Amino acid sequence: MKRMISILLTAILFISTFLMPTNVMNVMAQGTKPWMNTKLSAEERTKLLLDAMTLEQKIQQIAISRFNENDKGETIVIKRGGTNKYQSGVFPPQGTLPGCEFQDTGRQIRGIEELGIPTVRMTNGGTGVKGGSCHNDPVATGLPSTVAMAATFNRGLNYEAGRILGQETRAFAHHVMLGPGMNLVRHPYGGRNYEYFSEDPYLTGILATEQVKGIQKQGVQAQLKHLAGNEQETERWTMGVQVPSKAMNELYMLPFEMTVKGANPASVMCSFPDVNGTYACDSPELLQDALRRNWGFGGYVMSDRRAIHNTVSAIKAGTNVELDWAPQYYTQAKIKQAIDSGEVTENDIDNLLRPRYIKMIEFGHMDKPFDKFLPEIVDPMANGASARKMAEEGAVLLKNDKGFLPLDGKPKSIALIGVEWFAGMAKMSPRSIRINNENVVTPYTVTPKQGLENVIKERGYGTKVTYNDGRDPQAAAKLAAESDVVLLMIGDTPGETVDRETLGFPAIPVDMNAAPENWVKQEPMIDAVLKANAKKTVVVLKTSGTVLMPWLNTVPAVLEAWYPGMEDGNAVANLLYGKVNPSGKLPMTFGATEREAAFATEKQFPGTRQKTGKPGGPGPYGNGSDQLIAQYTEGLQMGYRWYEANKVKPVFPFGYGLSYTTFKYGNLKVNRVRDKGKLTGIDVTFTITNTGKVAGKEVAQVYLTLPDVAGQPAKRLVNFEKVDLKPGESKRVNLRINQAGSNHPFSYFIPKEPGNLANWADGEWATAAGKYRVHVGGSSTDTPLVKDVPLNFKLKR
C-alpha cells in the first residue's frame, strides 16, 4: 500500500512539474544558484556568482588549464622532461564534450560544474578553425590569408569571413575565436604579416571591425590580437619596442581603438613585447589608460602564451586570464602570497573575473552549454564559394603589358611551373610554428592545374597544361621554351616565431625530412625559366607581402595572389582567363630594396641590444643576452607615408591594382556636413566611369592632408568604396568623413609628455582649423581629384 501511494505521489509531482509554467520552474531551478536566473542582468548575475565563489575557485578561473575533455574516462600522462616541467603532467578526463580528443597545447578554462560555470574553449587563428581545445581539428573552410582579405577592400567579404569563422567555431563547440590579428605591416620581413591586414591603420580597423561583427553574430567571442607593438617575430618573447607617442596612438593603437569602439569585441590578447619600458601584459598604460579609460573597453584581456612577467603587475594592469600550458604567474601559491603580503586583494581577483563572466552571460555561454559538435550547421560548399570569391577579389594585378592577360583559347600549351607548395597544391596560410604548408582540415582543395583545366574545359579550349615542380631547373626551362604560355608560380615561407630572412624567394622544404641543403631552390628555377621564355611568362606570386623582383621588366604580367586558400586553383584560373576581372588593391607598399622606409636600419628592424636589465635573446626566457630593442625612429613615416614624405617612388604603391578595364574619376565636390549648425564632417562626392570594354570593380580611395600644424608626413586614408561598373557605366559616389569617427580622420595626437615614452597614452586628440586637402583616386599615388577645403570644427554657424 505504501509503495502504491509513493508511486502515485511521484506521478502527481511529475505531472505538476510538467504542467508548471516555465518562469516558475526557472525560479525553482535557480533556488540554490541565484546567478543562473536569466531574468537578472549580466552584471547582477555576475555579482551573485562572485559572492558565492571561494578564493581558490576564483584563482582557478583566471588561467588556462589542460585536461582530457573526452568522455572515454581516459587519463593522459605527458612526460616532456627537460626544464619545462610545467608542460608535463597528468590530465584526468572531465567528459563535458564527447569526441574531444586531448589537446596538449591547452586553450580552455576549466568549468566549475557545481557553480554552473561551463568550460570555455578557444580556437586559434583567423584563416580557418584549427588548433583549439580539442586535438581532433574539425573540417573547416581554408580562407585566404588575412592580408589577401585586406586587399579585397571589401567590407562585406570581410564580414562574410567573420561569419564563416564564427559559424565553424560554434560548430566545433568552441566559445572564443583568437583573432583577428591586427598588428600593422610595418616592414615586409614580419613572420606573421600574412595574419595581419595592412600597413594602414584605417584599412585595418575598418575590415577587422567587419570580421569581428561577423564572428560575434554567430554567438562566438572574438579576441583581438596582439595588443600592442607585435610587428616582428624575432626574439618575440623577450624583445622590446620603443614607439613615439604620436606613432603609437595614430598608427599602431588606432585599428584596435576603431574595432573596440565599432564592434564591441568580447576580448583582447595582450602581446609579448616590452612596450616603451613595460611588458604589454603587465602594462597599466596599455591595458588601463589606453584600452579601458580612453576607449571604454568593457571586455576581458588574455595574455599571449608566456607573455606575463610578474604576477602582481599583471593583476593590477588588468590581464584577466593567463594563457600558458599551465599557469606560471596566476597560480594558487603566488596569488595567495600576493594577497597575504597586501600587494593585491581578493577584490582585484574579482575585477579580473567580472568582465569575462559578464561576456559569457551576454553571449549565452553560461546558460546554453556547448556540449556537442554541430557540423550540420555548416554548408562547406557555400563557404567554399565564399572563400573563392575572397581569393578572387583579393588578388592584385601588378603588371599587364599590352593586354597579355586575360588568356584565351589561342595557346595550345601552358607550362605550369613552380615548387609543389605554390604550383602543385592549393597554397594555404601557415598555421604552425614550423615552416610547412599546414593549414586547416578542409573539405576539399583545388590545385592550380585543376583550376586551369576547369576553365579550359568550361570554355571549350584545346589547351594542354603540363606541370613541372621546378626541382630540375633545366627541365623546367626546357618545358618553358616549348610552351606557348608559362605560368610561373613562386612564393615565400614566413612563419610564427621567425621573421623572413630574405625578400627574395627562399628554398622550400617540400620533403619535411630533408636537410636544408636538399630543399627545392626557387631562385635557380626562376632564372632558368625566364632565360628560356620570359616574354611569354606570367608570374603568379603567392607571398605574404613585398618581394623583390629584379626580373620585373622582362615579363609581361604579374599577379599577386597571396595565399589564396582552399579554392586557390579556381580563383587564380578564373582571374588569369578573365572569368573574373581582377579588383584587388595592395594593402601595403612594395618597395625596391631590402632596406628602406621603416626598415631602413638595423636599429629599426630587428633592433639593437640595450642594457635594460631585462633578459634578451631567443626563446621564452632568453639566453642571457642584452635585450633586443626595435626603435620606431621613423615615427609617423611608416608605409606609404614614408614614400610620400620623402618623395620616393615605390615599385608598387599602397592601394595600387590593375584591372582588365580602365576607370576615370571626375566631378569632385566636397560639402560640409552640419548638425544643428555645428560642423561635423564632410561629404566627398565624385563620379567613376568604366571607360573600358569589360565590367570591373574599382576601389575608390579618399585621402586627407591635414593642415601643417598637425605635423603629418603625408596624406592619410580616410574612406574607400568598391564600385562595380559595366562597360561605359558611370556612378556617383558619396563618402562621408565624420569628425567624430573612431579613426580621428581630421585629428592628430598631442602627447602630454612627448619625451616620456613610458607615458605614451596620456595626451589628447586635437583638430586644427585650417586648409584640408581632399584626394580621390585609385591608389595612394594616383589621386587625380584634389580639392582644398577650409574647416574649423570649433565654429558654430
Side-chain angles (χ1 to χ4, degrees), residues 167 191 229 278 280 302 473 480 545 570 589 629 652 733 741 765:
Q167 179 193 68
T278 308
M302 185 171 82
N570 283 333
T589 307
I629 303 292
F652 297 113
V733 178
W765 289 90

Side-chain angles (χ1 to χ4, degrees), residues 10-196:
T10 300
I12 293 171
L13 179 61
F14 173 79
I15 293 170
S16 64
T17 302
F18 182 76
L19 296 175
M20 195 175 294
T22 302
N23 62 329
V24 177
M25 291 180 65
N26 182 55
V27 172
M28 289 181 61
Q30 315 315 327
T32 57
K33 300 176 185 175
W35 56 88
M36 298 302 290
N37 183 356
T38 58
K39 301 294 184 182
L40 300 177
S41 69
E43 290 77 10
E44 290 171 322
R45 292 177 61 182
T46 295
K47 183 181 186 306
L48 290 168
L49 174 57
L50 291 174
D51 289 345
M53 296 176 71
T54 66
L55 177 60
E56 289 75 14
Q57 288 173 328
K58 292 175 181 178
I59 296 173
Q60 179 267 318
Q61 282 283 289
I62 59 175
I64 297 294
S65 58
R66 290 180 294 173
F67 49 89
N68 184 10
E69 205 173 355
N70 204 308
D71 60 341
K72 296 179 181 178
E74 299 173 348
T75 296
I76 303 294
V77 180
I78 297 178
K79 297 181 179 179
R80 287 184 179 273
T83 58
N84 293 333
K85 293 182 179 179
Y86 70 100
Q87 293 188 33
S88 304
V90 178
F91 308 102
Q94 178 162 312
T96 57
L97 184 60
C100 179
E101 301 296 337
F102 179 76
Q103 168 63 280
D104 177 33
T105 303
R107 288 193 177 98
Q108 66 269 66
I109 303 173
R110 187 166 191 164
I112 304 177
E113 187 175 352
E114 60 267 30
L115 293 177
I117 302 173
T119 290
V120 174
R121 305 180 199 92
M122 307 180 186
T123 188
N124 199 22
T127 58
V129 176
K130 176 185 174 66
S133 298
C134 305
H135 188 268
N136 44 321
D137 289 322
V139 175
T141 306
L143 296 173
S145 54
T146 305
V147 71
M149 293 303 309
T152 68
F153 276 72
N154 188 315
R155 293 172 174 84
L157 282 182
N158 277 270
Y159 180 90
E160 172 67 0
R163 184 199 66 78
I164 291 172
L165 292 170
Q167 179 193 68
E168 295 183 356
T169 297
R170 175 62 187 93
F172 192 30
H174 281 53
H175 306 79
V176 185
M177 161 58 68
L178 305 183
M182 297 173 54
N183 298 99
L184 296 186
V185 180
R186 174 176 173 249
H187 57 82
Y189 291 94
R192 299 180 78 174
N193 280 352
Y194 59 87
E195 289 188 41
Y196 304 145

Side-chain angles (χ1 to χ4, degrees), residues 272-591:
F272 290 117
D274 179 10
V275 180
N276 286 346
T278 308
Y279 285 106
C281 296
D282 301 343
S283 172
E285 191 81 5
L286 181 68
L287 305 183
Q288 294 293 351
D289 297 346
L291 179 62
R292 292 181 169 99
R293 183 196 69 192
N294 294 351
W295 304 347
F297 176 67
Y300 62 94
V301 175
M302 185 171 82
S303 74
D304 209 335
R305 194 178 298 273
R306 287 163 292 174
I308 288 177
H309 291 260
N310 181 278
T311 300
V312 174
S313 297
I315 291 172
K316 290 295 187 179
T319 297
N320 305 77
V321 180
E322 180 185 8
L323 170 63
D324 212 317
W325 279 276
Q328 295 301 288
Y329 293 93
Y330 285 6
T331 65
Q332 297 280 343
K334 287 183 178 179
I335 292 180
K336 286 183 178 179
Q337 182 181 8
I339 290 175
D340 291 342
S341 68
E343 294 175 284
V344 299
T345 66
E346 186 170 349
N347 186 58
D348 290 325
I349 309 304
D350 288 353
N351 290 339
L352 298 186
L353 287 169
R354 188 175 295 107
R356 189 170 69 80
Y357 286 155
I358 288 173
K359 288 301 178 183
M360 286 178 65
I361 293 168
E362 289 177 347
F363 277 79
H365 297 164
M366 195 78 82
D367 305 308
K368 297 178 182 178
F370 289 8
D371 53 7
K372 64 179 180 179
F373 300 130
L374 299 173
E376 63 274 12
I377 70 173
V378 176
D379 184 341
M381 300 310 294
N383 288 354
S386 290
R388 182 182 68 249
K389 187 175 178 62
M390 295 167 194
E392 290 168 348
E393 287 210 21
V396 182
L397 184 60
L398 297 177
K399 182 178 181 181
N400 191 26
D401 283 355
K402 299 179 181 178
F404 191 87
L405 294 176
L407 300 175
D408 55 26
K410 293 179 182 178
K412 298 304 179 185
S413 59
I414 290 179
L416 173 61
I417 299 174
V419 299
E420 189 178 3
W421 283 10
F422 307 119
M425 62 174 66
K427 181 68 187 88
M428 313 291 278
S429 288
R431 290 291 302 281
S432 169
I433 60 173
R434 296 171 296 278
I435 297 177
N436 58 27
N437 199 36
E438 177 184 325
N439 195 265
V440 299
V441 180
T442 56
Y444 66 90
T445 59
V446 183
T447 69
K449 190 171 187 288
Q450 289 172 333
L452 291 166
E453 290 175 342
N454 287 343
V455 178
I456 289 169
K457 181 179 178 180
E458 177 185 321
R459 297 199 165 182
Y461 298 154
T463 310
K464 181 181 179 181
V465 180
T466 303
Y467 171 57
N468 182 286
D469 66 8
R471 290 173 186 256
D472 181 348
Q474 298 312 311
K478 184 175 183 296
L479 175 62
E482 295 170 349
S483 302
D484 295 330
V485 171
V486 180
L487 299 179
L488 181 61
M489 297 188 176
I490 52 180
D492 60 359
T493 58
E496 189 174 349
T497 76
V498 293
D499 288 314
R500 293 169 64 187
E501 295 180 356
T502 174
L503 298 186
F505 299 88
I508 307 298
V510 175
D511 179 357
M512 298 308 298
N513 296 318
E517 61 267 21
N518 295 323
W519 290 2
V520 181
K521 297 177 175 61
Q522 293 189 87
E523 296 284 4
M525 172 195 68
I526 295 169
D527 292 342
V529 168
L530 296 184
K531 183 177 180 181
N533 199 356
K535 292 183 179 180
K536 295 182 180 179
T537 296
V538 177
V539 176
V540 178
L541 300 174
K542 296 183 179 178
T543 71
S544 59
T546 302
V547 283
L548 299 181
M549 297 172 277
W551 37 259
L552 181 61
N553 292 333
T554 69
V555 298
V558 180
L559 178 72
E560 173 61 87
W562 316 105
Y563 304 151
M566 69 187 222
E567 276 276 351
D568 179 336
N570 283 333
V572 172
N574 289 346
L575 291 160
L576 293 175
Y577 273 93
K579 185 177 177 182
V580 174
N581 194 348
S583 63
K585 299 280 189 172
L586 286 181
M588 81 279 287
T589 307
F590 273 37

Side-chain angles (χ1 to χ4, degrees), residues 7 85 138 141 191 202 265 311 316 328 336 343 391 431 593 603 643 690 698-699 737:
I7 293 172
K85 293 182 179 179
T141 306
Y202 176 76
T311 300
K316 290 295 187 179
Q328 295 301 288
K336 286 183 178 179
E343 294 175 284
R431 290 291 302 281
T593 67
K603 182 183 291 187
Y643 292 89
N690 182 342
E698 167 70 346
V699 178
I737 319 298

Side-chain angles (χ1 to χ4, degrees), residues 187-309:
H187 57 82
Y189 291 94
R192 299 180 78 174
N193 280 352
Y194 59 87
E195 289 188 41
Y196 304 145
F197 289 86
S198 78
E199 70 183 30
D200 182 74
Y202 176 76
L203 179 63
T204 297
I206 286 292
L207 299 183
T209 294
E210 292 302 319
Q211 288 200 13
V212 170
K213 287 179 178 178
I215 292 168
Q216 298 197 157
K217 186 69 173 179
Q218 310 307 308
V220 168
Q221 300 176 28
Q223 185 167 108
L224 314 185
K225 63 183 189 182
H226 311 85
L227 190 71
N230 205 149
E231 282 76 41
Q232 73 181 55
E233 291 294 291
T234 301
E235 298 189 15
R236 67 175 187 173
W237 285 286
T238 62
M239 62 87 62
V241 295
Q242 293 177 354
V243 191
S245 298
K246 283 179 68 65
M248 192 70 174
N249 287 279
E250 294 185 31
L251 297 179
Y252 302 100
M253 295 289 283
L254 189 58
F256 291 96
E257 178 180 0
M258 291 174 64
T259 308
V260 164
K261 293 178 176 179
N264 191 26
S267 59
V268 168
M269 178 181 285
C270 53
S271 63
F272 290 117
D274 179 10
V275 180
N276 286 346
T278 308
Y279 285 106
C281 296
D282 301 343
S283 172
E285 191 81 5
L286 181 68
L287 305 183
Q288 294 293 351
D289 297 346
L291 179 62
R292 292 181 169 99
R293 183 196 69 192
N294 294 351
W295 304 347
F297 176 67
Y300 62 94
V301 175
M302 185 171 82
S303 74
D304 209 335
R305 194 178 298 273
R306 287 163 292 174
I308 288 177
H309 291 260

Side-chain angles (χ1 to χ4, degrees), residues 651-664:
V651 177
F652 297 113
F654 173 85
Y656 170 88
L658 300 175
S659 170
Y660 294 147
T661 189
T662 52
F663 301 95
K664 182 180 179 181

Side-chain angles (χ1 to χ4, degrees), residues 739-790:
Q739 192 268 343
S742 59
N743 61 312
H744 308 281
F746 298 93
S747 303
Y748 57 101
F749 189 79
I750 303 178
K752 185 175 182 180
E753 299 178 84
N756 183 3
L757 289 183
N759 195 25
W760 58 264
D762 210 357
E764 62 180 3
W765 289 90
T767 306
K771 182 183 70 176
Y772 289 76
R773 178 165 291 178
V774 176
H775 313 256
V776 179
S779 80
S780 60
T781 61
D782 180 21
T783 52
L785 305 184
V786 178
K787 190 175 184 63
D788 291 340
V789 53

